[in-house]
Amino acid sequence: MSRKAWDLDFTAEPEEVAALRRIMRLHLGVWGLDDVTDAAQLCVSELVSNIITHVGVGTPATLVVSMNGVHLRIEVHDPDTRALPTLLDANVDSESGRGMVLVDAVAARWGVQLCLNRKVAWCELATGLASPNGHVGCPEVLRAEALLDFYAAVTSPFRPGSGRLGRAVAEESVVTAITDFLHWLRVHGCDADEVLDRAQTRYDAELGSHDRRVAPQAERLTEESH
């Protein structure tokens, strides 16, 4: 899977934060990085809020999202090189610095880079990827990858991989595998529709269980900071 870096210019205003969070969720969904979506949205919110609070409402800024190896890198650029994000003890009375406590809690690392005419506040999140262009290595996905490699080897001169051709080959291999299993079910006297329904039900249950595990983290951290 190709994960090309992208950037977005925006104006640092409170109403922009929700839009940036939605854009981040959409992009990470396309990238197959749903596991880090909540943490990424939290980091975007706090980095942008830092600009609004310490630089000023209406400041022109840029969000840059890329991969640094197997880490998701989030950068927020703004033109003020004086107001630097700081990390304070979460138990102190001052509200200043609380946002970076949240970023520090979910990010593998973070920092600030000073350039000639701007500063870059950045953080990097661990993704669970085995390689920058690979997939998150859960057992279900690894089994599916092995099966797709086999089907591609016997049905196509191409192998699944990154890019549009690789994705098309992988999708065709999925269709071929499902079709072959439906034939197998028919010749063995099984109800294909009933099996498909059971598979969909199991998939929905596993997806729901996954979402329940990963979603509360950002909310818990936010509650603990207040």
Side-chain angles (χ1 to χ4, degrees), residues 1 3 28 31-37 40 65-74 106-109 123-137:
M1 176 182 293
R3 298 182 175 92
L28 294 187
W31 281 6
L33 298 179
D34 301 283
D35 282 0
V36 297
T37 296
V65 181
S66 62
M67 296 299 300
N68 182 16
V70 296
H71 285 78
L72 176 72
R73 183 177 178 90
I74 300 169
V106 300
R109 46 187 175 260
C123 64
E124 294 184 354
L125 304 174
T127 62
L129 295 172
S131 65
N133 291 325
H135 299 278
V136 177

Side-chain angles (χ1 to χ4, degrees), residues 113-124:
Q113 179 183 357
L114 295 179
C115 304
L116 182 63
N117 58 356
R118 71 186 191 282
K119 75 170 177 288
V120 180
W122 60 270
C123 64
E124 294 184 354

Side-chain angles (χ1 to χ4, degrees), residues 197-211:
D197 287 343
R198 285 165 52 197
Q200 184 68 53
T201 299
R202 180 179 298 180
Y203 171 75
D204 290 341
E206 292 178 355
L207 198 62
S209 175
H210 170 269
D211 290 343

Side-chain angles (χ1 to χ4, degrees), residues 12-144:
E13 297 178 347
E15 54 267 28
E16 287 291 304
V17 175
L20 293 172
R21 287 171 60 90
R22 288 194 297 271
I23 291 170
M24 177 65 75
R25 177 173 290 278
L26 289 172
H27 274 276
L28 294 187
V30 172
W31 281 6
L33 298 179
D34 301 283
D35 282 0
V36 297
T37 296
D38 292 314
Q41 288 183 310
L42 173 64
C43 290
V44 167
S45 294
E46 299 305 332
L47 293 177
V48 174
S49 294
N50 253 342
I51 298 176
I52 295 172
T53 302
H54 300 293
V55 181
V57 175
T59 300
T62 303
L63 172 66
V64 180
V65 181
S66 62
M67 296 299 300
N68 182 16
V70 296
H71 285 78
L72 176 72
R73 183 177 178 90
I74 300 169
E75 300 177 2
V76 176
H77 300 224
D78 75 78
D80 192 324
T81 58
R82 297 167 300 171
L84 304 181
T86 57
L87 179 64
L88 298 180
D89 190 320
N91 295 319
V92 300
D93 294 333
S94 173
E95 291 297 322
S96 177
R98 292 286 185 91
M100 297 315 297
V101 171
L102 298 178
V103 173
D104 185 69
V106 300
R109 46 187 175 260
W110 67 273
V112 181
Q113 179 183 357
L114 295 179
C115 304
L116 182 63
N117 58 356
R118 71 186 191 282
K119 75 170 177 288
V120 180
W122 60 270
C123 64
E124 294 184 354
L125 304 174
T127 62
L129 295 172
S131 65
N133 291 325
H135 299 278
V136 177
C138 63
E140 298 85 355
V141 173
L142 294 177
R143 290 197 300 266

Side-chain angles (χ1 to χ4, degrees), residues 163-191:
R164 294 175 61 185
L165 178 60
R167 176 172 291 187
V169 171
E171 288 181 354
E172 185 59 31
S173 297
V174 169
V175 172
T176 301
I178 294 173
T179 303
D180 286 350
F181 280 121
L182 291 175
H183 283 297
W184 185 92
L185 290 169
R186 179 183 62 82
V187 300
H188 285 82
C190 302
D191 186 335

